[in-house]
Structure formats: structure tokens, C-alpha cells
Amino acid sequence: EPEVTQTPSHQVTQMGQEVILRCVPISNHLYFYWYRQILGQKVEFLVSFYNNEISEKSEIFDDQFSVERPDGSNFTLKIRSTKLEDSAMYFCASTGGSYNSPLHFGNGTRLTVT
Amino acid sequence: KQEVTQIPAALSVPEGENLVLNCSFTDSAIYNLQWFRQDPGKGLTSLLLIQSSQREQTSGRLNASLDKSSGRSTLYIAASQPGDSATYLCAVEKNFNKFYFGSGTKLNVKP
């Protein structure tokens, strides 16, 4: 069964550094997402992306964050000037785009900011 | 803003029991509701998706119901097995492609 893949599985970075989290969504999917889960908290929506542009973003997704689909297969989340509170599990997800398409998640990237 | 609540937060049952996990949401204007399973350190696996026009969905030993007007959904697991041990998350699609998650129910099925 096709799956969403994310790399790396674990990223450690120092405060103030930039990180790029990578995702390869399911190939025929049209909508792409980033969610995050801070340890012990709920999974939170960050951003959705369709047709090469952001379709919706949460209040968390400020100027520190950006997303890109550089080559038609990868979908990246860039976090500039990381802060301690950015430490979380970041999940990429994709759907086929119709109203009854389930959301498919990757296994996540655990980001640790020290 | 949509708030999603799951009860109980944790549940421990002996193998073979039937069990019900509960999910409630504050805004009944939703597109879909989806149940997920999350294993420790892993991603989320989709179990069942119920469209807002549907009342229930079934997959194997799992049955999910939806009462949109009262803002409730239940996930019924029949004949539970140790392999069912995981955290079960309920997610409500309030706007198209934006999901709100509950905190989950951590299930432990004892052999």
C-alpha cells in the first residue's frame, strides 16, 4: 500500500538554526499538510497546501515557517531560527482531495531543539 | 473554534472484551470525522472515516458511529486483542482539509 514517507526520523538542532523537514506524499494525492504534536499534547494543524500554494494555515504557522513543493514529489517544511518550543513531532499528511478521502500520515520527524 | 474531547483518557481491559471509545466535538458543522490509531513513536494510521451525511462505518472488528447533531462519535472495538493496544485519536474536519484532533484514548488490552 502506498505510504507517506518522512525524513529524517529524528533531527537535533541548536536554537537559532534553520531546519528543513522532508516528506514524500502519496504520488496521486493532491492535498498536503503539516501537523505537529508537542509531547503530551494534541496533534495540531499547521498548514495545508494545494496546487502549489498554501490553502490554509493556523495561527502557529507564522513567518518562521514556510512550505514548498520543489520538484513535484517532495513537500518540505522549513523552520527558520528554531526555538526550544519548536521541539515536537512533525507529521506530514496527504489526501486524494475528494470529500471522503482519508488523511494519510507519515511516521513523523521528531525535532529536538537544544 | 472546534474543540474535540475524548473520554476516557486511558482504558485497560482484558483480552476479549468489547469496548467503546467516546469523542465529542463542539461545532456540529463538520465535513468528516476520522478515527486514527497511533502507536508509540509512530505516525497515525487511519482506521475509519465517516462523512457528515453518514451514521456509521464498519471495518472488521471496528465500528464507528456519528451523531452530528449532538456532536458525538463512538468507536466500538469488538473482541479486543493485545495488538489493539495503542492510542486512538478522533479528528473532526471542520473546514475542508483542516482537522481538529482530540487528546486520544490510550488503550491497553491485557493478555
Side-chain angles (χ1 to χ4, degrees):
Chain A
E1 184 174 328
E3 57 182 27
V4 177
T5 57
Q6 291 187 243
T7 55
S9 57
H10 191 189
Q11 174 93 44
V12 181
T13 190
Q14 288 189 327
M15 198 165 49
Q17 297 296 304
E18 175 181 288
V19 295
I20 297 176
L21 310 183
R22 304 181 190 279
C23 168
V24 179
I26 294 174
S27 62
N28 62 348
H29 281 185
L30 301 175
Y31 289 83
F32 315 114
Y33 311 82
W34 285 100
Y35 284 78
R36 79 173 184 187
Q37 186 176 32
I38 296 170
L39 188 63
Q41 298 187 22
K42 291 182 179 182
V43 176
E44 302 173 288
F45 170 82
L46 291 179
V47 66
S48 59
F49 191 86
Y50 170 72
N51 200 27
N52 283 322
E53 61 183 24
I54 290 173
S55 51
E56 187 159 359
K57 59 183 180 180
S58 72
E59 58 274 11
I60 302 168
F61 194 90
D62 58 20
D63 292 343
Q64 185 193 3
F65 296 88
S66 62
V67 288
E68 193 178 35
R69 189 157 161 81
D71 57 12
S73 62
N74 290 287
F75 179 52
T76 62
L77 174 68
K78 182 187 290 185
I79 309 175
R80 288 179 282 275
S81 189
T82 50
K83 299 174 281 197
L84 295 177
E85 54 265 38
D86 294 327
S87 295
M89 185 76 99
Y90 288 81
F91 293 107
C92 174
S94 67
T95 73
S98 63
Y99 284 106
N100 60 353
S101 294
L103 199 56
H104 293 266
F105 280 82
N107 282 335
T109 293
R110 179 168 298 283
L111 176 65
T112 303
V113 182
T114 61
Chain B
K1 184 183 174 183
Q2 178 75 267
E3 293 291 337
V4 182
T5 304
Q6 290 187 248
I7 295 172
L11 184 62
S12 184
V13 300
E15 182 177 5
E17 270 203 11
N18 303 324
L19 54 100
V20 175
L21 309 181
N22 296 290
C23 172
S24 61
F25 47 95
T26 53
D27 187 343
S28 61
I30 64 170
Y31 283 105
N32 298 313
L33 184 143
Q34 197 165 351
W35 283 92
F36 293 88
R37 168 186 174 137
Q38 185 176 28
D39 292 283
K42 297 293 179 102
L44 283 67
T45 302
S46 177
L47 298 173
L48 288 165
L49 179 144
I50 310 178
Q51 298 175 52
S52 61
S53 58
Q54 296 177 322
R55 299 284 290 184
E56 66 177 328
Q57 280 286 333
T58 298
S59 175
R61 293 182 294 108
L62 305 179
N63 175 276
S65 68
L66 174 64
D67 183 344
K68 199 174 76 158
S69 62
S70 67
R72 294 177 191 274
S73 176
T74 60
L75 179 67
Y76 175 82
I77 303 177
S80 57
Q81 302 170 358
D84 295 330
S85 298
T87 296
Y88 290 80
L89 299 174
C90 165
V92 172
E93 189 177 7
K94 167 63 179 148
N95 301 317
F96 181 54
N97 72 32
K98 182 177 180 180
F99 284 80
Y100 292 86
F101 281 79
S103 297
T105 293
K106 187 172 183 179
L107 173 65
N108 179 36
V109 181
K110 298 172 288 187

